[in-house]
Amino acid sequence: MFDILVYLYETYYRPDACPEPAALAKKLSAVGFDDVEISEALVWLTDLTAMAGVEHTLTASSTGTRFYVEEEQDVLGPGAIGFIQFLESAKVLSPLQREIVIERALALEEAPVSLGKLKVIVLMLLWSQGKEPDALMFDDLFGSDEDQAPRLLH
């Protein structure tokens, strides 16, 4: 599924440049992606788009500390939680965007979610909202997991 998401990010500059889901599924199938993965990716992306379009004034201006429940800690792991906090402190993610990233990671139903997959989730969220990370942040998001030590909470 993540190969499809990366393909969409690299192929379509903006989400509104994507064809409708039925046509997109045909294009992805023609490229060689598996039908089951296409279906999973389109459902995941539809849910992301629905969440990303919602405005919440309360969480958008939140300045509190986010505590992670045990399920979130198990799914995300300390490296992913540290990376999310890094992105939030760098103003790449708002509190609302952070919550969407966490929800989309939990929707994968795998634990722990790798840092590479979390980076794709962040990129897809920003892409779905028509936002482009700056060059340094883009390098960090697309950089290899092996190139850097994981960010841990302090």
Side-chain angles (χ1 to χ4, degrees), residues 51-70:
M51 292 182 72
V54 175
E55 291 291 326
H56 294 286
T57 55
L58 293 176
T59 55
S61 62
S62 172
T63 58
T65 300
R66 172 62 155 86
F67 290 95
Y68 292 83
V69 297
E70 187 174 340

Side-chain angles (χ1 to χ4, degrees), residues 7-130:
Y7 175 82
L8 292 175
Y9 183 86
E10 292 175 344
T11 304
Y12 299 101
Y13 179 67
R14 296 182 328 266
D16 57 353
C18 282
E20 292 299 316
L24 181 58
K26 287 181 184 178
K27 286 184 179 225
L28 292 170
S29 184
V31 172
F33 290 110
D34 179 64
D35 289 339
V36 173
E37 286 186 355
I38 292 170
S39 177
E40 289 174 358
L42 292 179
V43 167
W44 189 91
L45 194 57
T46 300
D47 291 345
L48 171 69
T49 303
M51 292 182 72
V54 175
E55 291 291 326
H56 294 286
T57 55
L58 293 176
T59 55
S61 62
S62 172
T63 58
T65 300
R66 172 62 155 86
F67 290 95
Y68 292 83
V69 297
E70 187 174 340
E71 177 190 5
E72 293 169 336
Q73 291 177 23
D74 292 343
V75 170
L76 295 171
I81 291 172
F83 189 69
I84 290 170
Q85 290 188 326
F86 162 72
L87 293 175
E88 193 174 3
S89 69
K91 306 288 188 231
V92 173
L93 293 179
S94 70
L96 176 60
Q97 290 171 318
R98 174 199 64 217
E99 294 304 314
I100 294 171
V101 167
I102 293 168
E103 191 283 330
R104 291 289 74 209
L106 293 173
L108 297 177
E109 298 181 1
E110 66 180 73
V113 172
S114 72
L115 190 55
K117 288 182 179 181
L118 185 74
K119 289 177 179 183
V120 172
I121 292 170
V122 171
L123 280 174
M124 293 309 295
L125 171 62
L126 296 174
W127 177 78
S128 72
Q129 294 178 334

